[in-house]
Amino acid sequence: QRFRLMVEGVKDYAIFMMDPGGYIMTWNEGARRIKGYLPSEIIGKHFSTFYTSEDLSVDKPATELRVAAETGRYEEEGWRIKKNGSLFWANIVITALFSEENKLIGYSKVTRDLTDRREKEEAYKQSEERYRALVEQVTDYGIFMMDEKGRIKSWNEGARRIKGYNADEIIGEHFSRFYTPEDIEKRVPWKALETARTEGRFTAEGWRMRKDGTRFWASVVIDPVKDDNGKIVGFAKVTRDLTERREAQLELERSQQALLQAQKMEAVGQLTGGIAHDFNNLLAGITGSLDLMKARLAQGRIGELERYITAAQGAASRAATLTHRLLAFARQHPLEP
């Protein structure tokens, strides 16, 4: 009696007994809640009532009873029908019951409604398929999965376009194949995995190798992939070809250097012009004083020479000062205007 009360009170599982022909003999609360029938509506009916027309067309209920009778048990998941005609995804277990004389006296059937779980699984599966399709069709980024040792497990269109390998040529190979001999000698690929494992991510830019042996400048990101328990089961690697961007950046730097050099030369030219003008003025003062001194000597007017000597010395002194400043500027010494 206690066992019967326990079974009848279970709500999450439909539990009922059938006779050897498959006709329902008992009905618990879980069966009423899941399938929608009251005991008075279903006891005495054949359990095939819950099966779809497709299953009935192949006599599936009879097959299930036969397997249970021969092996002692039958289990599966599939669509079943409620009283209101709606479908639900069920896990069912049919157990054959035998008497002490080993005579078949009936069956017990336990049904669980797994519709919610199946819908979640289907939604997850569809989401995963959409994500996989999205990743596989990306062409600007090489995206692939690796196991925990660095062996390649998946390969998208972007990886094929950037690196040159078809999927059947590269899956199963170690990702160090894309690294230069210099990086392999320095153990860069293995250090990258270790960094991703210990720090949660690895990012870098550097030269990588294509299938044809040419090099390209790549931006790479490696992330660890973990299972539900947090254990690292592999790595995801994203590669972007930045060769054109790098060349454009280097060309810009070269252009900037050329412009800077041109500006320097222009500044030097302007400085040279200014210096030449200043020196001409100073030399004009010196040569003018010397010419006047020569003329006064010819005239015998020696008393006036001192004035011209002083003027020439002043101009020479200013020229020396200018030369000193130029040398200080050339040697990057600070100036005090």
Side-chain angles (χ1 to χ4, degrees):
Q1 180 65 20
R2 285 194 296 270
F3 178 73
R4 181 180 297 108
L5 290 174
M6 180 188 72
V7 171
E8 290 177 353
V10 171
K11 296 180 180 180
D12 292 329
Y13 292 83
I15 305 174
F16 57 92
M17 303 284 292
M18 300 181 291
D19 66 14
Y23 291 92
I24 299 167
M25 301 170 61
T26 65
W27 195 250
N28 79 330
E29 176 60 21
R32 185 202 64 77
R33 190 180 68 84
I34 292 173
K35 299 178 184 288
Y37 293 93
L38 296 173
S40 59
E41 297 174 311
I42 199 65
I43 289 178
K45 298 288 183 64
H46 197 270
F47 85 110
S48 60
T49 302
F50 314 128
Y51 285 71
T52 64
S53 57
E54 293 83 359
D55 286 345
L56 293 176
S57 66
V58 295
D59 207 12
K60 190 169 179 27
T63 301
E64 293 178 359
L65 294 185
R66 177 176 54 77
V67 173
E70 292 174 354
T71 64
R73 189 172 184 273
Y74 177 86
E75 181 176 3
E76 74 154 15
E77 290 188 8
W79 292 111
R80 297 294 184 268
I81 301 177
K82 299 186 181 186
K83 177 184 175 182
N84 62 10
S86 62
L87 294 174
F88 70 101
W89 188 259
N91 170 265
I92 64 108
V93 178
I94 299 175
T95 304
L97 305 175
F98 296 91
S99 67
E100 295 179 357
E101 294 79 23
N102 201 31
K103 179 183 177 182
L104 179 67
I105 58 174
Y107 302 89
S108 68
K109 188 167 187 286
V110 180
T111 303
R112 187 179 183 189
D113 186 353
L114 299 181
T115 307
D116 289 344
R117 190 195 74 179
R118 176 179 167 81
E119 289 176 351
K120 290 178 182 177
E121 289 176 350
E122 285 295 318
Y124 177 78
K125 182 179 178 181
Q126 291 176 7
S127 175
E128 190 178 51
E129 289 175 351
R130 285 194 295 268
Y131 177 75
R132 182 181 294 109
L134 172 66
V135 169
E136 288 176 352
Q137 293 175 29
V138 169
T139 58
D140 291 332
Y141 292 83
I143 305 174
F144 57 92
M145 300 289 294
M146 303 180 288
D147 64 15
E148 67 278 7
K149 299 295 184 182
R151 291 184 293 266
I152 298 165
K153 295 298 182 183
S154 68
W155 196 247
N156 81 326
E157 175 61 21
R160 186 202 65 76
R161 189 182 67 82
I162 292 172
K163 300 177 187 287
Y165 293 92
N166 292 323
D168 58 354
E169 295 176 307
I170 200 64
I171 289 179
E173 299 291 334
H174 197 270
F175 84 111
S176 59
R177 173 175 290 202
F178 312 129
Y179 284 72
T180 64
E182 308 92 89
D183 284 345
I184 292 176
E185 185 177 352
K186 297 175 184 176
R187 305 290 293 174
V188 171
W190 295 271
K191 291 178 181 178
L193 292 187
E194 186 59 28
T195 300
R197 181 181 290 107
T198 56
E199 299 182 12
R201 168 171 277 209
F202 172 82
T203 60
E205 288 190 10
W207 290 110
R208 296 295 183 268
M209 305 289 292
R210 304 184 200 271
K211 177 184 176 182
D212 60 9
T214 59
R215 298 189 177 198
F216 67 100
W217 188 260
S219 167
V220 301
V221 179
I222 301 176
D223 290 298
V225 177
K226 301 179 180 180
D227 61 16
D228 294 337
N229 297 319
K231 179 183 176 183
I232 294 177
V233 295
F235 298 91
K237 188 168 186 287
V238 180
T239 303
R240 189 178 184 190
D241 185 353
L242 298 182
T243 308
E244 291 183 0
R245 192 193 75 175
R246 184 172 187 271
E247 290 177 352
Q249 184 176 352
L250 291 175
E251 182 61 31
L252 176 61
E253 291 175 359
R254 286 192 290 267
S255 298
Q256 290 173 336
Q257 288 294 331
L259 175 61
L260 181 60
Q261 185 64 24
Q263 291 173 336
K264 285 181 179 180
M265 294 305 297
E266 181 182 0
V268 169
Q270 292 175 347
L271 177 63
T272 303
I275 292 170
H277 179 72
D278 287 344
F279 261 101
N280 278 334
N281 290 336
L282 295 169
L283 291 173
I286 294 171
T287 55
S289 296
L290 291 173
D291 288 341
L292 290 171
M293 288 169 62
K294 183 178 181 181
R296 294 297 181 269
L297 281 172
Q299 297 170 0
R301 299 162 61 182
I302 298 175
E304 299 179 12
L305 295 181
E306 184 178 353
R307 180 169 53 134
Y308 301 123
I309 291 172
T310 301
Q313 287 176 332
S317 176
R318 289 194 298 275
T321 300
L322 177 60
T323 303
H324 172 72
R325 289 177 178 173
L326 287 172
L327 289 173
F329 176 75
R331 295 166 184 165
Q332 298 183 350
H333 290 171
L335 298 178
E336 296 293 340

PDB file of all heavy atoms in Angstrom, residues 298-310:
ATOM      1  N   ALA A 298      98.315 106.764 -47.991  1.00  0.00           N
ATOM      2  CA  ALA A 298      98.818 107.385 -49.225  1.00  0.00           C
ATOM      3  C   ALA A 298      98.836 108.899 -49.090  1.00  0.00           C
ATOM      4  O   ALA A 298      99.676 109.590 -49.699  1.00  0.00           O
ATOM      5  CB  ALA A 298      97.953 106.955 -50.412  1.00  0.00           C
ATOM      6  N   GLN A 299      97.927 109.463 -48.321  1.00  0.00           N
ATOM      7  CA  GLN A 299      97.830 110.905 -48.140  1.00  0.00           C
ATOM      8  C   GLN A 299      98.733 111.372 -46.995  1.00  0.00           C
ATOM      9  O   GLN A 299      98.821 112.578 -46.724  1.00  0.00           O
ATOM     10  CB  GLN A 299      96.381 111.313 -47.851  1.00  0.00           C
ATOM     11  CG  GLN A 299      95.435 110.999 -49.000  1.00  0.00           C
ATOM     12  CD  GLN A 299      93.976 111.175 -48.607  1.00  0.00           C
ATOM     13  OE1 GLN A 299      93.667 111.537 -47.456  1.00  0.00           O
ATOM     14  NE2 GLN A 299      93.088 110.942 -49.566  1.00  0.00           N
ATOM     15  N   GLY A 300      99.297 110.411 -46.287  1.00  0.00           N
ATOM     16  CA  GLY A 300     100.177 110.787 -45.185  1.00  0.00           C
ATOM     17  C   GLY A 300      99.408 111.186 -43.954  1.00  0.00           C
ATOM     18  O   GLY A 300      99.968 111.760 -43.020  1.00  0.00           O
ATOM     19  N   ARG A 301      98.145 110.874 -43.910  1.00  0.00           N
ATOM     20  CA  ARG A 301      97.303 111.268 -42.763  1.00  0.00           C
ATOM     21  C   ARG A 301      97.255 110.105 -41.768  1.00  0.00           C
ATOM     22  O   ARG A 301      96.251 109.456 -41.552  1.00  0.00           O
ATOM     23  CB  ARG A 301      95.917 111.653 -43.243  1.00  0.00           C
ATOM     24  CG  ARG A 301      95.956 112.857 -44.199  1.00  0.00           C
ATOM     25  CD  ARG A 301      94.700 113.001 -45.020  1.00  0.00           C
ATOM     26  NE  ARG A 301      93.517 113.214 -44.221  1.00  0.00           N
ATOM     27  CZ  ARG A 301      92.278 113.324 -44.705  1.00  0.00           C
ATOM     28  NH1 ARG A 301      92.087 113.231 -46.019  1.00  0.00           N
ATOM     29  NH2 ARG A 301      91.277 113.540 -43.895  1.00  0.00           N
ATOM     30  N   ILE A 302      98.371 109.853 -41.152  1.00  0.00           N
ATOM     31  CA  ILE A 302      98.519 108.686 -40.274  1.00  0.00           C
ATOM     32  C   ILE A 302      97.695 108.843 -38.995  1.00  0.00           C
ATOM     33  O   ILE A 302      97.219 107.869 -38.412  1.00  0.00           O
ATOM     34  CB  ILE A 302     100.010 108.493 -39.920  1.00  0.00           C
ATOM     35  CG1 ILE A 302     100.808 108.222 -41.197  1.00  0.00           C
ATOM     36  CG2 ILE A 302     100.212 107.349 -38.919  1.00  0.00           C
ATOM     37  CD1 ILE A 302     102.311 108.132 -40.983  1.00  0.00           C
ATOM     38  N   GLY A 303      97.462 110.010 -38.574  1.00  0.00           N
ATOM     39  CA  GLY A 303      96.719 110.234 -37.327  1.00  0.00           C
ATOM     40  C   GLY A 303      95.285 109.709 -37.362  1.00  0.00           C
ATOM     41  O   GLY A 303      94.673 109.468 -36.319  1.00  0.00           O
ATOM     42  N   GLU A 304      94.745 109.544 -38.547  1.00  0.00           N
ATOM     43  CA  GLU A 304      93.353 109.076 -38.639  1.00  0.00           C
ATOM     44  C   GLU A 304      93.237 107.548 -38.686  1.00  0.00           C
ATOM     45  O   GLU A 304      92.133 106.999 -38.705  1.00  0.00           O
ATOM     46  CB  GLU A 304      92.708 109.667 -39.899  1.00  0.00           C
ATOM     47  CG  GLU A 304      92.670 111.189 -39.905  1.00  0.00           C
ATOM     48  CD  GLU A 304      92.053 111.733 -41.189  1.00  0.00           C
ATOM     49  OE1 GLU A 304      91.458 110.905 -41.940  1.00  0.00           O
ATOM     50  OE2 GLU A 304      92.155 112.922 -41.444  1.00  0.00           O
ATOM     51  N   LEU A 305      94.380 106.838 -38.718  1.00  0.00           N
ATOM     52  CA  LEU A 305      94.329 105.371 -38.887  1.00  0.00           C
ATOM     53  C   LEU A 305      93.695 104.648 -37.701  1.00  0.00           C
ATOM     54  O   LEU A 305      93.027 103.621 -37.851  1.00  0.00           O
ATOM     55  CB  LEU A 305      95.749 104.834 -39.125  1.00  0.00           C
ATOM     56  CG  LEU A 305      96.439 105.276 -40.418  1.00  0.00           C
ATOM     57  CD1 LEU A 305      97.827 104.643 -40.514  1.00  0.00           C
ATOM     58  CD2 LEU A 305      95.600 104.902 -41.633  1.00  0.00           C
ATOM     59  N   GLU A 306      93.909 105.155 -36.507  1.00  0.00           N
ATOM     60  CA  GLU A 306      93.404 104.454 -35.314  1.00  0.00           C
ATOM     61  C   GLU A 306      91.892 104.243 -35.355  1.00  0.00           C
ATOM     62  O   GLU A 306      91.374 103.200 -34.961  1.00  0.00           O
ATOM     63  CB  GLU A 306      93.819 105.234 -34.066  1.00  0.00           C
ATOM     64  CG  GLU A 306      93.416 104.499 -32.781  1.00  0.00           C
ATOM     65  CD  GLU A 306      93.877 105.245 -31.551  1.00  0.00           C
ATOM     66  OE1 GLU A 306      94.608 106.253 -31.664  1.00  0.00           O
ATOM     67  OE2 GLU A 306      93.486 104.800 -30.448  1.00  0.00           O
ATOM     68  N   ARG A 307      91.194 105.269 -35.860  1.00  0.00           N
ATOM     69  CA  ARG A 307      89.730 105.158 -35.921  1.00  0.00           C
ATOM     70  C   ARG A 307      89.314 104.005 -36.816  1.00  0.00           C
ATOM     71  O   ARG A 307      88.416 103.232 -36.499  1.00  0.00           O
ATOM     72  CB  ARG A 307      89.146 106.466 -36.437  1.00  0.00           C
ATOM     73  CG  ARG A 307      87.622 106.453 -36.529  1.00  0.00           C
ATOM     74  CD  ARG A 307      87.098 107.857 -36.791  1.00  0.00           C
ATOM     75  NE  ARG A 307      87.756 108.468 -37.951  1.00  0.00           N
ATOM     76  CZ  ARG A 307      87.093 109.111 -38.906  1.00  0.00           C
ATOM     77  NH1 ARG A 307      85.799 109.225 -38.874  1.00  0.00           N
ATOM     78  NH2 ARG A 307      87.755 109.668 -39.900  1.00  0.00           N
ATOM     79  N   TYR A 308      90.017 103.849 -37.966  1.00  0.00           N
ATOM     80  CA  TYR A 308      89.654 102.792 -38.904  1.00  0.00           C
ATOM     81  C   TYR A 308      90.081 101.411 -38.400  1.00  0.00           C
ATOM     82  O   TYR A 308      89.403 100.391 -38.630  1.00  0.00           O
ATOM     83  CB  TYR A 308      90.262 103.070 -40.275  1.00  0.00           C
ATOM     84  CG  TYR A 308      89.798 104.401 -40.841  1.00  0.00           C
ATOM     85  CD1 TYR A 308      90.716 105.400 -41.209  1.00  0.00           C
ATOM     86  CD2 TYR A 308      88.433 104.659 -41.002  1.00  0.00           C
ATOM     87  CE1 TYR A 308      90.292 106.606 -41.713  1.00  0.00           C
ATOM     88  CE2 TYR A 308      88.009 105.869 -41.510  1.00  0.00           C
ATOM     89  CZ  TYR A 308      88.927 106.832 -41.850  1.00  0.00           C
ATOM     90  OH  TYR A 308      88.504 108.050 -42.351  1.00  0.00           O
ATOM     91  N   ILE A 309      91.201 101.384 -37.692  1.00  0.00           N
ATOM     92  CA  ILE A 309      91.639 100.110 -37.089  1.00  0.00           C
ATOM     93  C   ILE A 309      90.612  99.631 -36.072  1.00  0.00           C
ATOM     94  O   ILE A 309      90.250  98.446 -36.017  1.00  0.00           O
ATOM     95  CB  ILE A 309      93.023 100.283 -36.439  1.00  0.00           C
ATOM     96  CG1 ILE A 309      94.088 100.497 -37.516  1.00  0.00           C
ATOM     97  CG2 ILE A 309      93.376  99.057 -35.587  1.00  0.00           C
ATOM     98  CD1 ILE A 309      95.453 100.866 -36.951  1.00  0.00           C
ATOM     99  N   THR A 310      90.120 100.543 -35.239  1.00  0.00           N
ATOM    100  CA  THR A 310      89.114 100.191 -34.217  1.00  0.00           C
ATOM    101  C   THR A 310      87.839  99.658 -34.881  1.00  0.00           C
ATOM    102  O   THR A 310      87.239  98.668 -34.433  1.00  0.00           O
ATOM    103  CB  THR A 310      88.790 101.413 -33.353  1.00  0.00           C
ATOM    104  OG1 THR A 310      89.990 101.876 -32.715  1.00  0.00           O
ATOM    105  CG2 THR A 310      87.752 101.071 -32.299  1.00  0.00           C
TER     106      THR A 310
END
